[in-house]
Amino acid sequence: MGITSNAGAGPAPEQSLTIIDNRTNSTYKIPITDNSILASDFKKIKASSAAVIGDRQREENETEGGLRVYDAGFTNTAVLRSTITYIDGERGILRYRGYPIEELAASSNFLEVAYLLLYGDLPTKRQYKIFSSEVMHHSFVHRDVEGLMESFRYDSHPMAMLTSAFAALGAFSPEANPALQGQNLYTNAAKGDMAAMANMDKQIYRLIGKAPTLATMAYRVRQGRPFNKPPLGLSFAGSFLYMIDALNEREYKPNPVLERALDILFILHADHELNASTATVLQVGSTLADPYTAVSAGCAALYGPSHGGANEAVVRMLEEIGGKENVPKFIEQVKKKTRVLSGFGHRVYKNTDPRSTIIRQVAEDVFRVAGRSPLLDTALALKEAAETDSYFIDRKLYPNVDFYSGICYKVLGLPTDFYVLMFAVPRVVGWLAHWRQMVLQSSGVKIWRPRQIYVGEAAREYVPMDAREQQLRHNEPDFRKTPVPISHGGDTKRRALATFKDQLGRVHVGSKL
Ligand code: ACO
């Protein structure tokens, strides 16, 4: 795209774009608000199919329906107006409701930050007391949830358990389900319906309060240990540590340094504007599904190694590298794109992720009481190598939040596949802050329904099955368009070799392989 500028002294320039559609010679003026334009304004830029010549003239392009905005992977698309979290990726700035993350990590605690994210301001003493008491008292789960957690196989990934458990919680709260109670159950809150408002906040208390209970249950199932009831009188992070660790001791209190370190880690993970999992929660929430289902969907999105699963991937990577002497070889593999440097790079940060700087300090506190990890030496050698290598410098790849957090969890003795749950538990707050904000929008909740650019086949006639063989022979085989035969092993193979009658009485005679 060519750029010319006539900006200079004179009256304040009009906040708009002037666009000339060269297909039709038409000129359009598109208003700019908050340095953004409305994608729907582009729908006014229409062209008759006669104006679009050559092979680009396809009815599927729907030129008469207006110009479409193509943004694969949402690299430059804003889908809502938000007052929650601000990130300046170029300068490495992160603020929750205007407060720098560094100040919150130094002075605040997780439940205070949760209040801030949800309701917009830091709480007064009284507000904090009510809110923290509601959250901590909504930490118990229905007894049947214990059965659900125990029904998982011994080697299940704990994130599979947590994702399922959040969805299952919805089944225990039918009064919280718009599918059963009416689709305005929550959206009435935007019109000042205080019962709807209270119902919404109750589900928020429940989800934040039960998140550590469910996550620690997933941990205990795998250890083969009975579940701990949520304790009273401990902080959010302290309660989490109690529920994973306490056996039958009396007056069990977690180590205060580790408790504070975990609290800071929870603050740092509480929100991060429209990351993939928050966007997923809002996508699901936009259909007016209940918040339990939406949070479960958020967990599913967080699970992936490109998102919250990266802390687990970092530790696996560091263990595989083995020591700092092997770092140069690994860096070469990354540059050849045969490997990914997990814990590096970010869609928004093109400078240091401020959370990684804070976690680096928190890690020292953890090491002081729980011992230092040799993985840190490998991590620091990787960071140093990346800092001086043009591959990483040119692509603006820096350590992200996951680069050091996994090492902290490793030193804390948590199983590698549990790390992503350490991210999910605090992120429930961010998901719900965004969900609440969306539900309370005065413009109402609009279903999130993106469009696509259809580049597939034009309309074609149905081909009878007998004629398809013939057609296939004339076309180049395309691996993307053919299902791949899979080999069968185990009982499937043995059954295929057996002789039996199936449910319909047809005789199956096993043949040799
Ligand atoms: N290692 C090696 N190369 C990388 C990495 C990495 N970690 N991240 C990006 N690159 C390269 C890409 O290959 C690409 O190179 P190219 O221009 O030669 O094609 C370039 O940098 C730009 O990367 P994109 O993939 O376009 O960046 P995008 O914004 O789409 O992806 C992401 C961001 C997914 C975080 C990516 O950096 C990544 O995969 N990082 C590793 C996984 C990770 O740490 N995820 C956690 C993110 S933070 C969080 O979710 C809490």
Side-chain angles (χ1 to χ4, degrees):
M1 189 190 284
I3 301 173
T4 54
S5 168
N6 57 4
E14 193 180 294
Q15 296 297 301
S16 68
L17 287 183
T18 301
I19 295 178
I20 299 171
D21 184 346
N22 293 319
R23 300 171 302 177
T24 58
N25 260 334
S26 306
T27 303
Y28 300 85
K29 193 178 270 188
I30 309 260
I32 299 177
T33 311
D34 293 330
N35 191 33
S36 66
I37 48 158
L38 280 181
S40 57
D41 280 345
F42 281 81
K43 288 186 93 174
K44 295 175 196 150
I45 305 178
K46 299 179 179 179
S48 70
S49 50
V52 185
I53 49 155
D55 59 359
R56 292 191 183 89
Q57 189 182 3
R58 304 176 78 234
E59 64 168 330
E60 292 80 7
N61 280 346
E62 298 166 0
T63 51
E64 271 129 3
L67 203 62
R68 294 177 301 213
V69 178
Y70 179 52
D71 185 8
F74 299 123
T75 55
N76 191 29
T77 295
V79 290
L80 50 76
R81 299 170 72 81
S82 177
T83 59
I84 302 175
T85 291
Y86 172 69
I87 305 173
D88 179 337
E90 291 297 331
R91 292 192 292 156
I93 289 174
L94 170 61
R95 293 184 206 133
Y96 292 165
R97 302 280 191 183
Y99 294 100
I101 192 68
E102 294 80 2
E103 278 185 39
L104 293 171
S107 311
S108 192
N109 70 54
F110 176 70
L111 283 182
E112 188 179 63
V113 166
Y115 185 101
L116 173 71
L117 287 167
L118 284 157
Y119 304 110
D121 289 308
L122 287 167
T124 61
K125 212 177 243 183
R126 189 171 162 273
Q127 287 168 330
Y128 178 75
K129 198 170 161 212
I130 296 170
F131 175 73
S132 53
S133 153
E134 287 294 1
V135 170
M136 298 309 283
H137 280 89
H138 279 94
S139 49
F140 278 74
V141 293
H142 194 285
R143 204 185 47 180
D144 291 353
V145 175
E146 296 186 2
L148 170 80
M149 294 306 253
E150 276 164 355
S151 69
F152 282 94
R153 231 170 65 155
Y154 67 95
D155 58 352
S156 303
H157 195 293
M159 200 60 176
M161 295 189 217
L162 187 68
T163 307
S164 311
F166 274 127
L169 275 191
F172 295 94
S173 300
E175 80 286 3
N177 189 346
L180 299 170
Q181 308 299 337
Q183 65 177 41
N184 294 336
L185 184 64
Y186 299 112
T187 48
N188 276 344
K191 298 177 192 143
D193 177 338
M194 292 317 283
M197 201 82 184
N199 193 24
M200 180 165 66
D201 278 352
K202 184 172 184 182
Q203 309 323 315
I204 290 175
Y205 304 147
R206 281 174 164 172
L207 275 157
I208 300 173
K210 292 176 201 315
T213 315
L214 296 177
T216 55
M217 284 168 95
Y219 178 92
R220 301 277 293 201
V221 162
R222 295 254 308 253
Q223 306 294 320
R225 290 193 172 153
F227 302 130
N228 275 325
K229 299 274 174 282
L232 284 179
L234 291 181
S235 70
F236 189 85
S239 165
F240 183 95
L241 288 171
Y242 172 95
M243 283 191 282
I244 356 182
D245 291 335
L247 293 172
N248 55 359
E249 306 89 349
R250 292 168 62 194
E251 294 179 33
Y252 183 95
K253 286 203 179 62
N255 178 287
V257 175
L258 299 186
E259 183 179 348
R260 177 63 187 147
L262 190 58
D263 200 55
I264 297 174
L265 285 164
F266 282 173
I267 291 174
L268 301 180
H269 286 88
D271 192 45
H272 211 234
E273 58 122 288
L274 274 202
N275 53 86
S277 56
T278 305
T280 304
V281 168
L282 294 181
Q283 174 95 46
V284 174
S286 81
T287 70
L288 304 181
D290 68 89
Y292 298 92
T293 305
V295 165
S296 169
C299 271
L302 189 74
Y303 194 177
S306 292
H307 190 8
N311 54 18
E312 175 177 345
V314 168
V315 167
R316 291 192 198 284
M317 172 188 79
L318 295 173
E319 283 173 345
E320 190 195 321
I321 294 172
K324 55 183 180 181
E325 63 285 1
N326 300 325
V327 162
K329 194 169 141 222
F330 184 79
I331 290 283
E332 283 315 306
Q333 290 170 343
V334 172
K335 287 160 66 178
K336 284 187 193 136
K337 295 196 184 287
T338 55
R339 299 299 303 265
V340 167
L341 180 48
S342 294
F344 257 68
H346 197 276
R347 173 58 63 79
V348 183
Y349 292 117
K350 300 302 167 196
N351 195 323
T352 306
D353 177 341
R355 300 167 301 173
S356 79
T357 316
I358 302 168
I359 295 186
R360 177 75 190 86
Q361 294 154 5
V362 171
E364 287 304 329
D365 294 337
V366 173
F367 297 160
R368 199 158 36 81
V369 293
R372 197 174 182 281
S373 167
L375 294 182
L376 185 68
D377 297 327
T378 313
L380 292 176
L382 274 173
K383 181 174 171 278
E384 246 168 60
E387 272 169 355
T388 49
D389 193 304
S390 61
Y391 176 94
F392 300 92
I393 296 168
D394 294 349
R395 290 171 177 78
K396 299 187 175 177
L397 300 172
Y398 295 91
N400 59 45
V401 67
D402 293 314
F403 194 60
Y404 300 114
S405 61
I407 305 176
C408 287
Y409 303 140
K410 174 91 186 165
V411 167
L412 286 175
L414 295 169
T416 315
D417 58 6
F418 194 71
Y419 301 172
V420 59
L421 281 83
M422 305 299 286
F423 192 152
V425 167
R427 186 52 61 87
V428 169
V429 166
W431 293 335
L432 291 171
H434 282 268
W435 174 74
R436 191 177 188 277
Q437 175 179 254
M438 180 172 77
V439 170
L440 291 179
Q441 283 171 160
S442 51
S443 54
V445 177
K446 207 170 172 54
I447 191 165
W448 286 23
R449 180 21 174 120
R451 293 297 318 268
Q452 60 166 8
I453 311 290
Y454 179 73
V455 294
E457 300 281 355
R460 50 180 172 167
E461 269 178 34
Y462 181 81
V463 182
M465 198 176 267
D466 291 345
R468 289 177 210 161
E469 219 37 75
Q470 181 76 9
Q471 201 181 37
L472 214 58
R473 264 184 239 128
H474 289 108
N475 291 335
E476 283 288 303
D478 180 347
F479 75 91
R480 286 189 182 80
K481 293 176 75 176
T482 321
V484 179
I486 55 168
S487 56
H488 294 284
D491 57 327
T492 312
K493 181 162 82 177
R494 293 192 297 275
R495 253 193 317 277
L497 294 168
T499 300
F500 54 85
K501 274 188 189 168
D502 69 13
Q503 305 281 10
L504 299 173
R506 292 173 301 203
V507 176
H508 173 95
V509 180
S511 56
K512 281 191 194 143
L513 289 177

